[in-house]
Amino acid sequence: MTFKLLIGLIVLAITTTSLYHSFKSLPQGLSFHGDEQPVINPRLLTDRTLHFGNEEPRLDQEIFTEIFSLIADAQQFVLVDMFLFNDFRANDSRQIPLASTLTDALIARKQAHPDMEIIVISDPINTVYGGTTSPHFEQLRQAGIPVVETRLEPLRDSNPLWSGLWRICCQWMGNSASGGWLPNALGEQPVTLRSYLALPNFKANHRKTLVVDSADGFTALVTSANPHDGSSRHSNIGLRFEGPAVADLLRSERAVLALSGADTTAVDTALGNLPATEPESPETIRIVTESAILASAREIIDTAAPGDRLDLAIFYLSHRALVEALKDAHKRGVQVRVLLDANNDAFGLKKSGIPNRQTAMELNNAGVTVRWCHTEGEQCHTKLLLRRDYDGNAQLLLGSANFTRRNLDDLNLETSVHLTSTTHSVMVLKASGFFDEQWNLGPGDTPVMSLPYEAWADESRLRYWQYRLMEATGLSTF
């Protein structure tokens, strides 16, 4: 009887812990829904890998070229918040050394201006949750640049079937960067058992942002790209901008520093140095994080009218509300096109196709046109929702967030930008050209950029319900 009571109390404790950490209040400043601000000097940036049959692929990349340029011109302040900042599995000579190049760029700027405030924020996956050291982080710290590995524990749990047990049995043990003895699935250094126990929590600071100052003022950049060698050939998108929205982005990053127990003084000082006047612009921008991104996506899709066009290019699409919203938009007479990664490759490993092939089946059966990015080992990592209205107005949503439960339901940390403009603006024309070129260049064209739905179609009902279960429970990496 005593044993049964003990087991019952343990189960009760785990269940209660799981429920609490699944629904607890968010740390202050998250799920940020910024005001509409004038967007000044916007510049849309894209990365593409173009395939020409038997020839070497051509890399057409703009995002990190711009990031390195902005850092080189910084005068007093740099803030970098990037999810993957490592060279794990850098065993392909065709990869670009983004992690070391970013590290060198930040150190060079600090050495040139020793009084400059440089802050790096990243995710603990780069040290396998404390089970290894990051040579890039160590170099930055030795150069006097603080690196904040985001505290994920204050966030809600995305995989409660595991996280309740983990919080009771394992969280309190911490980790050790010098006691590793198990093979590392992500890198070369051996890791501890505690790293693998932390991994199934499946949550992250997934943001990809940059804020710098210069002689002309402050500039920000929000992107889907990571300074990760293994991701260096992925397709991605980003937006560089100036104006009052930079302050909103800084406020959202201040919240990450605060929840991690880090010093916010440099960000507070930078906020005080931003100009108070608001310049005029016919285009607007709104900073959105976490579930505010979902609200923007629903607003863009749900208010689309017959004759409007919705184009979605995204790495993961599985969020049930957005899948239903896309189907409903199609039924209303909105022209909907969905361009997806086939979820076939991940850094040299083969994937199952879940969730995109299952979501694609559902959309295709509902009459929505779906195509696949043509990739050869890299990923179609873009996160872009573009709406072009019959009356000439346009909206864009782009940034770090995939359209999944984990990315949009206040579980991961995410940052995107929601823009309003016109179909004739330079920014929208480039976004539409980026999408249209991938959509239209199929088999028989040079280069081949997309494939028809049938190329990666998976009509398995078993795998469809597997995706639905994984999405609902959090037992997934997407």
Side-chain angles (χ1 to χ4, degrees):
M1 186 65 180
T2 303
F3 178 74
K4 291 182 179 179
L5 178 62
L6 178 61
I7 295 297
L9 290 173
I10 292 172
V11 171
L12 178 63
I14 293 172
T15 303
T16 302
T17 301
S18 295
L19 289 172
Y20 170 73
H21 287 287
S22 296
F23 298 102
K24 66 187 180 183
S25 298
L26 291 174
Q28 186 175 3
L30 300 190
S31 193
F32 182 85
H33 192 280
D35 295 332
E36 282 194 354
Q37 306 279 13
V39 58
I40 308 302
N41 296 327
R43 185 183 304 166
L44 194 77
L45 307 163
T46 60
D47 286 351
R48 304 177 306 166
T49 296
L50 307 177
H51 297 285
F52 299 88
N54 294 327
E55 299 179 21
E56 273 294 303
R58 191 183 85 204
L59 273 63
D60 182 3
Q61 298 192 324
E62 299 176 335
I63 296 172
F64 273 95
T65 299
E66 184 71 16
I67 287 173
F68 297 142
S69 176
L70 288 170
I71 291 171
D73 290 338
Q75 302 292 307
Q76 297 179 346
F77 181 84
V78 176
L79 183 143
V80 176
D81 188 350
M82 294 282 175
F83 168 51
L84 293 179
F85 189 159
N86 63 67
D87 53 11
F88 292 166
R89 297 195 174 276
N91 52 7
D92 186 337
S93 60
R94 298 177 302 170
Q95 293 174 357
I96 302 168
L98 292 178
S100 60
T101 306
L102 179 57
T103 300
D104 292 344
L106 292 168
I107 291 173
R109 207 61 191 146
K110 182 67 173 179
Q111 291 174 342
H113 297 269
D115 295 332
M116 177 182 289
E117 295 284 1
I118 301 179
I119 305 163
V120 174
I121 308 171
S122 194
D123 187 82
I125 195 173
N126 296 289
T127 59
V128 198
Y129 306 100
T132 67
T133 57
S134 163
H136 305 292
F137 292 177
E138 293 305 308
Q139 290 177 52
L140 291 168
R141 287 170 176 142
Q142 290 170 10
I145 299 171
V147 179
V148 177
E149 294 183 54
T150 310
R151 285 187 61 227
L152 303 178
E153 293 81 5
L155 303 179
R156 291 174 182 163
D157 290 343
S158 69
N159 182 16
L161 295 177
W162 167 250
S163 295
L165 175 60
W166 176 80
R167 287 183 180 274
I168 289 175
C169 80
C170 315
Q171 175 179 307
W172 55 271
M173 293 190 297
N175 209 341
S176 169
S178 60
W181 55 281
L182 292 172
N184 186 343
L186 301 177
E188 302 298 326
Q189 300 179 47
V191 296
T192 65
L193 176 61
R194 287 168 286 177
S195 289
Y196 282 107
L197 293 175
L199 183 62
N201 288 300
F202 296 143
K203 57 184 173 182
N205 175 2
H206 195 243
R207 295 182 178 188
K208 300 134 176 79
T209 67
L210 172 74
V211 178
V212 302
D213 76 331
S214 70
D216 299 322
F218 280 79
T219 302
L221 192 147
V222 172
T223 182
S224 63
N226 289 294
H228 171 229
D229 294 14
S231 302
S232 61
R233 299 169 68 85
H234 294 356
S235 65
N236 280 295
I237 197 160
L239 184 80
R240 173 198 188 277
F241 58 94
E242 300 170 13
V246 177
D248 286 343
L249 183 59
L250 274 177
R251 292 184 186 100
S252 72
E253 291 298 332
R254 187 189 187 283
V256 181
L257 292 171
L259 74 85
S260 302
D263 186 4
T264 64
T265 303
V267 174
D268 293 334
T269 301
L271 284 167
N273 291 334
L274 284 164
T277 58
E278 294 190 5
E280 294 185 0
S281 169
E283 300 174 306
T284 68
I285 182 171
R286 176 186 293 160
I287 305 298
V288 285
T289 72
E290 292 78 58
S291 62
I293 304 171
L294 175 61
S296 281
R298 290 298 303 267
E299 177 185 338
I300 292 170
I301 298 170
D302 291 346
T303 60
D308 295 345
R309 291 178 289 174
L310 283 172
D311 293 328
L312 175 64
I314 201 152
F315 179 54
Y316 281 140
L317 173 61
S318 63
H319 196 285
R320 294 308 308 162
L322 294 181
V323 173
E324 294 297 332
L326 289 167
K327 294 193 297 183
D328 289 344
H330 170 72
K331 290 177 185 176
R332 292 195 306 272
V334 179
Q335 300 175 46
V336 181
R337 299 186 296 179
V338 178
L339 180 65
L340 296 173
D341 185 86
N343 295 164
N344 187 56
D345 297 286
F347 314 120
L349 302 175
K350 290 299 179 183
K351 298 176 66 178
S352 67
I354 295 175
N356 280 4
R357 294 183 210 174
Q358 290 62 47
T359 304
M361 177 186 73
E362 183 176 353
L363 292 172
N364 181 71
N365 290 343
V368 177
T369 308
V370 178
R371 289 183 70 86
W372 307 102
C373 295
H374 174 56
T375 58
E376 297 181 7
E378 78 283 0
Q379 294 173 347
C380 189
H381 199 251
T382 303
K383 298 100 166 72
L384 169 67
L385 176 61
L386 169 63
R387 176 172 137 189
R388 289 172 283 175
D389 296 351
Y390 69 93
D391 63 3
N393 291 318
Q395 297 183 63
L396 296 91
L397 181 66
L398 63 94
S400 73
N402 290 297
F403 282 6
T404 74
R405 166 184 170 270
R406 178 163 291 119
N407 295 123
L408 299 179
D409 284 4
D410 289 328
L411 300 169
N412 274 2
L413 295 175
E414 304 283 352
T415 301
S416 292
V417 289
H418 181 176
L419 298 116
T420 63
S421 186
T422 68
T423 55
H424 299 295
S425 77
V426 173
M427 181 172 54
V428 173
L429 287 172
K430 183 169 183 179
S432 59
F434 175 69
F435 185 94
D436 289 345
E437 186 176 38
Q438 293 178 86
W439 186 268
N440 293 326
L441 291 177
D445 293 313
T446 304
V448 179
M449 299 193 71
S450 68
L451 303 172
Y453 167 74
E454 292 74 19
W456 288 107
D458 184 349
E459 305 286 336
S460 167
R461 301 302 299 180
L462 176 62
R463 280 190 289 276
Y464 174 79
W465 287 107
Q466 181 183 352
Y467 136 63
R468 293 291 298 271
L469 178 65
M470 294 168 74
E471 174 78 358
T473 61
L475 285 170
S476 67
T477 56
F478 58 82

